[in-house]
Amino acid sequence: MIRRWRTAVGLVLTAVMLFPVYWMVNVSLTPAGRMRKSPPDWFPAAPTFEGYERVLREQLPYFATSLLVALGTVALTLALAAPSAYALAKLRPRGHRALGFVLLVAQMIPGIIMALGFYGIYVSLGITNTAWGLVLADSTIAVPFAVLILTSFMASVPDELVQAATIDGAGAVRAFWSVVLPASRNGVVTAGLFSFLWAWSDFVFAATLDGGGSLRPLTLGIYRYIGNNNQEWNSIMATAVVASVPAAVLLVLAQRFVAAGVTAGAVKD
Amino acid sequence: MQDTREPVTVRPAARAPGRTGRRRPQLLAWAFLAPLVAYLVLCYGYPLVTNVDLSLRSYTVRTFVHGGAPLVWFDNYATVFADPTFRTALLDTLVFTAASLLFQYGFGLALAVFFARHFRLGPTLRALFLVPWLLPLIVSGSTWAWLLNSESGVVNSVLGWFGAGRIDWLTSPSWSLVSVIIANIWIGVPFNLVVLHSGLQNIPAEVYEAASLDGAGAWQRFRHVTFPLLRPVSAITLLLGLVYTLKVFDVIWIMTKGGPGGSSTTLATWSYQLGFGSMLPRFGPSAAVGNVLILLALVAGLLYIRAQRRQEEP
């Protein structure tokens, strides 16, 4: 009896928490004419896809940019993080504690400050408005986290496994590539997942380093809508829904990795 | 969902194998680390040094592009500290951070305790709670901006049922800070829920059984068992929350742009406002505000590391 009651309360709490998400979808389907209605429509009474049509018409290239930048960030982050995590977890050279400290501190630097520094450098090098420039900047959000979380995953790979490979004649590179890396696949998924999400939703770097050109990520697309026309909230919300799709997909496909990532973010070594 | 804690509870093994030769493993390890070290120097060190340099010079748009800005040492900092906005921004940053942390933690803890019991759909609902945390901040920001819209926002409409008058959430100086805090609390609750929930899972069931045998009620069990045993996890959750909240920029900028009249300006949004918010960028002062914010974040960070060290020592 009490369990059933708990389920009911849980459902109500979840509904309250997710109401803004529902509202985003609802507004995205509301025709522009009914937007200012008071009281508002609680359900999409007369659903329209004009918001989504506009998104497809105007935002498709931005969508592609976001995807490109996010995937590039994942690749760069993993390429940097996996070998270093292996060294930190299994080879543990002198000074690895200091490096761990630097990584912790790096995570605490506000993105807005990094953005100003990057802007100064990019302007003097003339590389603003480039996709790879954005990839490089966005990766700074994820790299320290990825190294730390991969280190804790790789540390949990039994040393006997590595030793066995070494006895079979594998060098450090082989041991890393064929033993430790596959064994910590979950860590790689978690690190990749968060790199993707953070790069996908980055606004600070996009707004500062990628303001002028045609190559803009989706977050700037939404921002431009908000700035330009406060009237067409269905287009803004439709873009928001589209921008949320990766988060939704990842949550469904990989919810236990997400939870692992959140927890590891707090209690990492 | 039970295995979510698996990677973090495992401690690194004592020693790496094959450490017989001294030199070679060292070199080998640093060969694996070299790309990361180069990256940290180039992508963290260099921008940060650039930022310090920016804050010590007097820039115009021209000198920013072509170089040759004169060194003015701490003039930018003096300008920033003398600006009346500094006091507002510092105060707003503190209020924003304190209120966000308090409510994120409070709601997160209540929900974690609620979800700690087993019931049908519990794990699924808990996973759904993650959604607000996973959404891009610009999405959350614009959604809340519309929810809180004065005329057509659903929040005012619901408040109207209870006879409340219209609140100008985003456009009145007395409410704008409250509005961005509400949105930020909503974004941060899932993180607190997940971390505190995993902390609760680590408390052995026997402790509760013993407390029940001693006749402790539900509230007493929470006060004298759950809360004290959860303290290390709570400390880390709050400190990480502090570090994250000091950084918050997107949500505030999207909802209010720090306005009206600077009423929801924090150090982060002020720094952006100075550097990128207008046609006349003031890079020097912007960088100076940024460096003040870094100092605050670093103090919070050092507290965090200390708390974590203490937790690791059994």
Side-chain angles (χ1 to χ4, degrees), chain B residues 85-97 177 265 267:
Chain B
T85 313
F86 181 75
R87 274 195 53 173
T88 334
L90 189 64
L91 197 69
D92 282 354
T93 306
L94 296 179
V95 172
F96 180 81
T97 310
L177 189 62
T265 293
L267 290 173

Side-chain angles (χ1 to χ4, degrees), chain A residues 3 6-7 9-11 13-14 17-21 23-24 27 35-36 38-40 42 80 83-84 86-88 90-95 99 101-114 116-121 123 136 139-141 143-144 147 152-153 155-156 159 163 172-173 176 194 197 200-201 203-204 207-208 219 222-223 226 233 236-237 240 243-244 247 251 255-256 258-260 262-269, chain B residues 1 3-4 6-8 10-17 19 26 28-30 32-33 35-37 39-40 43-44 46-48 50-51 54 64-65 111 114 117-121 125 127-139 142-147 149 151-152 154 157-158 161 186 189-191 194-195 198 236 240 243 247 249-250 253-254 257 268 271-272 276 283 286-287 290 293-294 297-298 301-302 304-305 308 311-312:
Chain A
R3 285 194 170 200
R6 277 192 168 257
T7 306
V9 174
L11 281 169
L13 289 174
T14 314
M17 187 70 176
L18 294 189
F19 179 77
V21 181
W23 202 248
M24 170 175 84
V27 171
M35 201 64 72
R36 297 271 168 193
S38 179
W42 288 90
L80 282 163
S84 15
Y86 169 71
L88 290 175
K90 289 291 170 218
L91 306 174
R92 242 152 319 132
R94 234 168 291 144
L99 193 59
F101 180 78
V102 170
L103 290 169
L104 267 181
V105 172
Q107 278 185 296
M108 287 153 193
I109 300 163
I112 182 74
I113 290 152
M114 297 293 293
L116 192 63
F118 268 112
Y119 183 71
I121 296 165
V123 164
L136 203 62
S139 68
T140 60
I141 313 172
V143 166
V147 175
S152 82
F153 268 92
S156 67
D159 278 345
Q163 271 163 327
V173 177
F176 161 65
F194 276 89
L197 274 180
W200 177 269
S201 46
F203 171 69
V204 178
T208 49
T219 47
I222 300 180
Y223 186 62
I226 302 175
W233 274 89
I236 298 174
M237 288 295 115
S244 311
L251 187 71
Q255 46 158 298
R256 73 199 179 92
V258 174
V262 180
T263 319
V267 218
K268 71 184 82 76
D269 190 21
Chain B
M1 293 298 293
D3 53 348
T4 50
E6 153 231 333
V8 288
V10 181
R11 317 272 309 122
R15 268 292 126 121
R19 264 183 69 120
Q26 285 283 330
L28 187 70
W30 284 102
F32 273 100
L33 286 170
L36 178 72
V37 173
Y39 174 84
L40 287 175
C43 290
Y44 279 92
Y46 191 33
L48 289 176
T50 307
N51 208 46
L54 280 174
F64 194 78
V65 178
L111 287 164
F114 177 78
R117 298 291 189 80
H118 296 283
F119 57 93
R120 240 160 73 85
L121 292 179
L125 296 179
L128 281 175
F129 258 79
L130 277 170
V131 170
W133 193 76
L134 291 172
L135 290 183
L137 289 172
I138 190 157
V139 168
S142 38
T143 302
W144 275 99
W146 183 244
L147 286 163
N149 186 286
E151 289 139 44
S152 338
V154 67
S157 165
V158 169
W161 296 348
W186 183 76
V189 164
F191 174 77
V194 173
V195 178
S198 87
I236 285 195
L240 262 195
V243 172
K247 291 202 239 186
F249 158 75
D250 315 42
W253 188 257
I254 288 146
K257 285 211 161 59
S271 172
Y272 183 85
F276 301 100
F283 295 112
S286 168
L293 188 58
I294 282 203
L298 278 185
L302 289 175
Y304 165 72
I305 287 163
Q308 202 171 42
Q311 194 202 16
E312 277 168 16

Side-chain angles (χ1 to χ4, degrees), chain B residues 35-115:
Chain B
L36 178 72
V37 173
Y39 174 84
L40 287 175
V41 170
L42 275 176
C43 290
Y44 279 92
Y46 191 33
L48 289 176
V49 170
T50 307
N51 208 46
V52 171
D53 181 62
L54 280 174
S55 75
L56 300 177
R57 291 177 188 275
S58 171
Y59 277 99
T60 60
V61 175
R62 222 189 104 79
T63 51
F64 194 78
V65 178
H66 301 289
L71 196 65
V72 294
W73 293 107
F74 293 100
D75 276 13
N76 288 319
Y77 290 88
T79 313
V80 162
F81 290 141
D83 193 317
T85 313
F86 181 75
R87 274 195 53 173
T88 334
L90 189 64
L91 197 69
D92 282 354
T93 306
L94 296 179
V95 172
F96 180 81
T97 310
S100 296
L101 282 183
L102 188 70
F103 286 100
Q104 286 172 352
Y105 177 77
F107 288 136
L109 183 60
L111 287 164
V113 170
F114 177 78
F115 280 109

Side-chain angles (χ1 to χ4, degrees), chain A residues 184-266:
Chain A
S184 41
R185 201 192 55 207
N186 285 358
V188 176
V189 173
T190 309
L193 197 96
F194 276 89
S195 318
F196 185 92
L197 274 180
W198 287 332
W200 177 269
S201 46
D202 159 67
F203 171 69
V204 178
F205 288 123
T208 49
L209 307 176
D210 221 359
S214 58
L215 189 114
R216 292 183 201 178
L218 202 53
T219 47
L220 277 194
I222 300 180
Y223 186 62
R224 207 196 56 175
Y225 272 170
I226 302 175
N228 282 1
N229 36 33
N230 275 313
Q231 300 308 310
E232 300 185 47
W233 274 89
N234 56 3
S235 298
I236 298 174
M237 288 295 115
T239 322
V241 171
V242 172
S244 311
V245 166
V249 171
L250 291 179
L251 187 71
V252 172
L253 291 181
Q255 46 158 298
R256 73 199 179 92
F257 299 113
V258 174
V262 180
T263 319

